[in-house]
mmCIF file of all heavy atoms in Angstrom:
data_model
loop_
_atom_site.group_PDB
_atom_site.id
_atom_site.type_symbol
_atom_site.label_atom_id
_atom_site.label_comp_id
_atom_site.label_asym_id
_atom_site.label_seq_id
_atom_site.Cartn_x
_atom_site.Cartn_y
_atom_site.Cartn_z
ATOM 1 N N ASN A 342 52.309 31.149 139.538
ATOM 2 C CA ASN A 342 53.439 30.370 140.061
ATOM 3 C C ASN A 342 54.568 31.292 140.515
ATOM 4 O O ASN A 342 55.201 31.056 141.553
ATOM 5 C CB ASN A 342 53.949 29.403 138.992
ATOM 6 C CG ASN A 342 52.972 28.274 138.720
ATOM 7 O OD1 ASN A 342 52.196 27.898 139.590
ATOM 8 N ND2 ASN A 342 52.991 27.738 137.514
ATOM 9 N N TYR A 343 54.816 32.333 139.729
ATOM 10 C CA TYR A 343 55.866 33.298 140.076
ATOM 11 C C TYR A 343 55.518 34.033 141.373
ATOM 12 O O TYR A 343 56.358 34.196 142.265
ATOM 13 C CB TYR A 343 56.025 34.290 138.926
ATOM 14 C CG TYR A 343 57.165 35.268 139.063
ATOM 15 C CD1 TYR A 343 58.392 35.041 138.433
ATOM 16 C CD2 TYR A 343 57.025 36.441 139.802
ATOM 17 C CE1 TYR A 343 59.440 35.942 138.549
ATOM 18 C CE2 TYR A 343 58.072 37.345 139.927
ATOM 19 C CZ TYR A 343 59.275 37.093 139.294
ATOM 20 O OH TYR A 343 60.301 37.989 139.414
ATOM 21 N N ALA A 344 54.264 34.472 141.469
ATOM 22 C CA ALA A 344 53.835 35.264 142.626
ATOM 23 C C ALA A 344 53.853 34.462 143.921
ATOM 24 O O ALA A 344 54.078 35.021 144.999
ATOM 25 C CB ALA A 344 52.439 35.829 142.377
ATOM 26 N N SER A 345 53.602 33.168 143.849
ATOM 27 C CA SER A 345 53.511 32.351 145.057
ATOM 28 C C SER A 345 54.828 31.702 145.442
ATOM 29 O O SER A 345 54.895 30.993 146.449
ATOM 30 C CB SER A 345 52.452 31.252 144.865
ATOM 31 O OG SER A 345 52.780 30.431 143.753
ATOM 32 N N ASP A 346 55.885 31.936 144.662
ATOM 33 C CA ASP A 346 57.188 31.333 144.937
ATOM 34 C C ASP A 346 58.058 32.308 145.724
ATOM 35 O O ASP A 346 58.437 33.373 145.215
ATOM 36 C CB ASP A 346 57.879 30.967 143.622
ATOM 37 C CG ASP A 346 59.166 30.194 143.834
ATOM 38 O OD1 ASP A 346 59.559 30.007 145.003
ATOM 39 O OD2 ASP A 346 59.777 29.776 142.831
ATOM 40 N N PRO A 347 58.427 32.006 146.969
ATOM 41 C CA PRO A 347 59.258 32.937 147.765
ATOM 42 C C PRO A 347 60.614 33.228 147.130
ATOM 43 O O PRO A 347 61.217 34.259 147.400
ATOM 44 C CB PRO A 347 59.423 32.201 149.104
ATOM 45 C CG PRO A 347 58.300 31.210 149.145
ATOM 46 C CD PRO A 347 58.036 30.814 147.731
ATOM 47 N N VAL A 348 61.109 32.323 146.279
ATOM 48 C CA VAL A 348 62.410 32.517 145.644
ATOM 49 C C VAL A 348 62.411 33.764 144.765
ATOM 50 O O VAL A 348 63.452 34.403 144.566
ATOM 51 C CB VAL A 348 62.795 31.271 144.822
ATOM 52 C CG1 VAL A 348 64.091 31.492 144.049
ATOM 53 C CG2 VAL A 348 62.935 30.063 145.730
ATOM 54 N N THR A 349 61.258 34.138 144.231
ATOM 55 C CA THR A 349 61.186 35.282 143.318
ATOM 56 C C THR A 349 61.061 36.618 144.035
ATOM 57 O O THR A 349 61.031 37.661 143.380
ATOM 58 C CB THR A 349 59.991 35.132 142.359
ATOM 59 O OG1 THR A 349 58.769 35.151 143.129
ATOM 60 C CG2 THR A 349 60.072 33.837 141.587
ATOM 61 N N LEU A 350 60.980 36.602 145.363
ATOM 62 C CA LEU A 350 60.895 37.866 146.097
ATOM 63 C C LEU A 350 62.187 38.653 145.948
ATOM 64 O O LEU A 350 63.277 38.065 145.949
ATOM 65 C CB LEU A 350 60.636 37.592 147.578
ATOM 66 C CG LEU A 350 59.229 37.133 147.945
ATOM 67 C CD1 LEU A 350 59.190 36.649 149.391
ATOM 68 C CD2 LEU A 350 58.225 38.255 147.738
ATOM 69 N N PRO A 351 62.121 39.987 145.812
ATOM 70 C CA PRO A 351 63.343 40.788 145.706
ATOM 71 C C PRO A 351 64.138 40.752 146.994
ATOM 72 O O PRO A 351 63.586 40.610 148.087
ATOM 73 C CB PRO A 351 62.816 42.206 145.406
ATOM 74 C CG PRO A 351 61.410 42.207 145.924
ATOM 75 C CD PRO A 351 60.893 40.812 145.736
ATOM 76 N N ALA A 352 65.446 40.904 146.851
ATOM 77 C CA ALA A 352 66.327 40.881 148.026
ATOM 78 C C ALA A 352 66.098 42.119 148.876
ATOM 79 O O ALA A 352 65.849 43.211 148.359
ATOM 80 C CB ALA A 352 67.779 40.802 147.584
ATOM 81 N N LEU A 353 66.177 41.945 150.197
ATOM 82 C CA LEU A 353 66.026 43.060 151.122
ATOM 83 C C LEU A 353 67.404 43.651 151.403
ATOM 84 O O LEU A 353 68.110 43.234 152.330
ATOM 85 C CB LEU A 353 65.372 42.586 152.417
ATOM 86 C CG LEU A 353 63.941 42.037 152.269
ATOM 87 C CD1 LEU A 353 63.444 41.526 153.612
ATOM 88 C CD2 LEU A 353 63.014 43.118 151.741
ATOM 89 N N VAL A 354 67.801 44.620 150.575
ATOM 90 C CA VAL A 354 69.123 45.234 150.699
ATOM 91 C C VAL A 354 68.968 46.586 151.373
ATOM 92 O O VAL A 354 68.190 47.427 150.915
ATOM 93 C CB VAL A 354 69.776 45.415 149.317
ATOM 94 C CG1 VAL A 354 71.154 46.056 149.471
ATOM 95 C CG2 VAL A 354 69.880 44.074 148.621
ATOM 96 N N PRO A 355 69.676 46.857 152.459
ATOM 97 C CA PRO A 355 69.574 48.171 153.103
ATOM 98 C C PRO A 355 70.137 49.262 152.215
ATOM 99 O O PRO A 355 71.080 49.037 151.460
ATOM 100 C CB PRO A 355 70.412 48.005 154.374
ATOM 101 C CG PRO A 355 71.357 46.889 154.064
ATOM 102 C CD PRO A 355 70.619 45.967 153.144
ATOM 103 N N THR A 356 69.547 50.452 152.284
ATOM 104 C CA THR A 356 70.004 51.577 151.482
ATOM 105 C C THR A 356 70.586 52.656 152.377
ATOM 106 O O THR A 356 70.217 52.793 153.534
ATOM 107 C CB THR A 356 68.835 52.171 150.671
ATOM 108 O OG1 THR A 356 67.833 52.622 151.593
ATOM 109 C CG2 THR A 356 68.224 51.140 149.757
ATOM 110 N N LEU A 357 71.513 53.426 151.822
ATOM 111 C CA LEU A 357 72.158 54.491 152.572
ATOM 112 C C LEU A 357 71.508 55.837 152.339
ATOM 113 O O LEU A 357 71.848 56.814 152.987
ATOM 114 C CB LEU A 357 73.636 54.568 152.161
ATOM 115 C CG LEU A 357 74.450 53.305 152.428
ATOM 116 C CD1 LEU A 357 75.884 53.488 151.940
ATOM 117 C CD2 LEU A 357 74.446 52.973 153.912
ATOM 118 N N HIS A 358 70.604 55.906 151.374
ATOM 119 C CA HIS A 358 69.970 57.187 151.063
ATOM 120 C C HIS A 358 68.504 56.936 150.774
ATOM 121 O O HIS A 358 68.157 56.024 150.030
ATOM 122 C CB HIS A 358 70.648 57.831 149.846
ATOM 123 C CG HIS A 358 70.242 59.262 149.629
ATOM 124 N ND1 HIS A 358 69.059 59.615 149.033
ATOM 125 C CD2 HIS A 358 70.879 60.424 149.924
ATOM 126 C CE1 HIS A 358 68.970 60.932 148.962
ATOM 127 N NE2 HIS A 358 70.063 61.439 149.489
ATOM 128 N N ARG A 359 67.660 57.690 151.330
ATOM 129 C CA ARG A 359 66.224 57.504 151.147
ATOM 130 C C ARG A 359 65.868 57.658 149.673
ATOM 131 O O ARG A 359 66.233 58.618 149.018
ATOM 132 C CB ARG A 359 65.459 58.534 151.960
ATOM 133 C CG ARG A 359 63.953 58.311 151.915
ATOM 134 C CD ARG A 359 63.229 59.272 152.833
ATOM 135 N NE ARG A 359 61.804 59.055 152.807
ATOM 136 C CZ ARG A 359 60.946 59.751 153.525
ATOM 137 N NH1 ARG A 359 61.384 60.694 154.344
ATOM 138 N NH2 ARG A 359 59.659 59.506 153.443
ATOM 139 N N GLY A 360 65.138 56.693 149.167
ATOM 140 C CA GLY A 360 64.719 56.738 147.774
ATOM 141 C C GLY A 360 65.747 56.177 146.820
ATOM 142 O O GLY A 360 65.499 56.053 145.641
ATOM 143 N N PHE A 361 66.938 55.806 147.334
ATOM 144 C CA PHE A 361 67.975 55.321 146.436
ATOM 145 C C PHE A 361 67.608 53.986 145.818
ATOM 146 O O PHE A 361 67.996 53.682 144.704
ATOM 147 C CB PHE A 361 69.289 55.183 147.202
ATOM 148 C CG PHE A 361 70.458 55.777 146.489
ATOM 149 C CD1 PHE A 361 70.390 57.063 146.005
ATOM 150 C CD2 PHE A 361 71.621 55.047 146.299
ATOM 151 C CE1 PHE A 361 71.464 57.630 145.356
ATOM 152 C CE2 PHE A 361 72.704 55.608 145.652
ATOM 153 C CZ PHE A 361 72.629 56.901 145.182
ATOM 154 N N ALA A 362 66.863 53.153 146.573
ATOM 155 C CA ALA A 362 66.535 51.832 146.057
ATOM 156 C C ALA A 362 65.675 51.909 144.818
ATOM 157 O O ALA A 362 65.639 50.981 144.023
ATOM 158 C CB ALA A 362 65.816 51.018 147.137
ATOM 159 N N LYS A 363 64.971 53.017 144.627
ATOM 160 C CA LYS A 363 64.113 53.157 143.457
ATOM 161 C C LYS A 363 64.879 53.649 142.241
ATOM 162 O O LYS A 363 64.320 53.749 141.164
ATOM 163 C CB LYS A 363 62.965 54.123 143.762
ATOM 164 C CG LYS A 363 62.030 53.632 144.853
ATOM 165 C CD LYS A 363 60.877 54.594 145.052
ATOM 166 C CE LYS A 363 59.923 54.095 146.136
ATOM 167 N NZ LYS A 363 58.802 55.014 146.336
ATOM 168 N N GLN A 364 66.153 53.989 142.424
ATOM 169 C CA GLN A 364 66.937 54.517 141.333
ATOM 170 C C GLN A 364 67.955 53.490 140.874
ATOM 171 O O GLN A 364 68.276 52.538 141.579
ATOM 172 C CB GLN A 364 67.666 55.802 141.771
ATOM 173 C CG GLN A 364 66.732 56.890 142.269
ATOM 174 C CD GLN A 364 65.868 57.467 141.179
ATOM 175 O OE1 GLN A 364 66.137 57.273 140.000
ATOM 176 N NE2 GLN A 364 64.819 58.172 141.555
ATOM 177 N N CYS A 365 68.502 53.750 139.708
ATOM 178 C CA CYS A 365 69.617 52.950 139.242
ATOM 179 C C CYS A 365 70.862 53.363 140.013
ATOM 180 O O CYS A 365 70.916 54.445 140.576
ATOM 181 C CB CYS A 365 69.816 53.199 137.753
ATOM 182 S SG CYS A 365 70.486 51.804 136.866
ATOM 183 N N LEU A 366 71.858 52.491 140.088
ATOM 184 C CA LEU A 366 73.101 52.826 140.754
ATOM 185 C C LEU A 366 73.860 53.812 139.877
ATOM 186 O O LEU A 366 74.330 53.470 138.798
ATOM 187 C CB LEU A 366 73.936 51.569 140.976
ATOM 188 C CG LEU A 366 75.226 51.732 141.788
ATOM 189 C CD1 LEU A 366 74.897 52.278 143.161
ATOM 190 C CD2 LEU A 366 75.942 50.409 141.893
ATOM 191 N N VAL A 367 73.995 55.045 140.340
ATOM 192 C CA VAL A 367 74.528 56.121 139.517
ATOM 193 C C VAL A 367 76.047 56.141 139.559
ATOM 194 O O VAL A 367 76.661 55.844 140.581
ATOM 195 C CB VAL A 367 73.967 57.479 139.993
ATOM 196 C CG1 VAL A 367 74.456 58.613 139.119
ATOM 197 C CG2 VAL A 367 72.448 57.428 139.983
ATOM 198 N N ASP A 368 76.668 56.474 138.417
ATOM 199 C CA ASP A 368 78.118 56.590 138.316
ATOM 200 C C ASP A 368 78.601 57.718 139.225
ATOM 201 O O ASP A 368 78.222 58.868 139.036
ATOM 202 C CB ASP A 368 78.466 56.885 136.849
ATOM 203 C CG ASP A 368 79.962 56.950 136.603
ATOM 204 O OD1 ASP A 368 80.719 57.019 137.586
ATOM 205 O OD2 ASP A 368 80.357 56.945 135.432
ATOM 206 N N PRO A 369 79.436 57.418 140.243
ATOM 207 C CA PRO A 369 79.879 58.474 141.160
ATOM 208 C C PRO A 369 80.595 59.617 140.451
ATOM 209 O O PRO A 369 80.500 60.769 140.862
ATOM 210 C CB PRO A 369 80.833 57.737 142.115
ATOM 211 C CG PRO A 369 80.438 56.317 142.021
ATOM 212 C CD PRO A 369 79.961 56.112 140.621
#
Side-chain angles (χ1 to χ4, degrees):
N342 290 333
Y343 186 98
S345 59
D346 187 356
V348 175
T349 64
L350 286 169
L353 297 177
V354 180
T356 60
L357 299 178
H358 191 281
R359 185 175 181 179
F361 227 51
K363 296 183 179 180
Q364 302 292 345
C365 210
L366 186 59
V367 182
D368 183 347

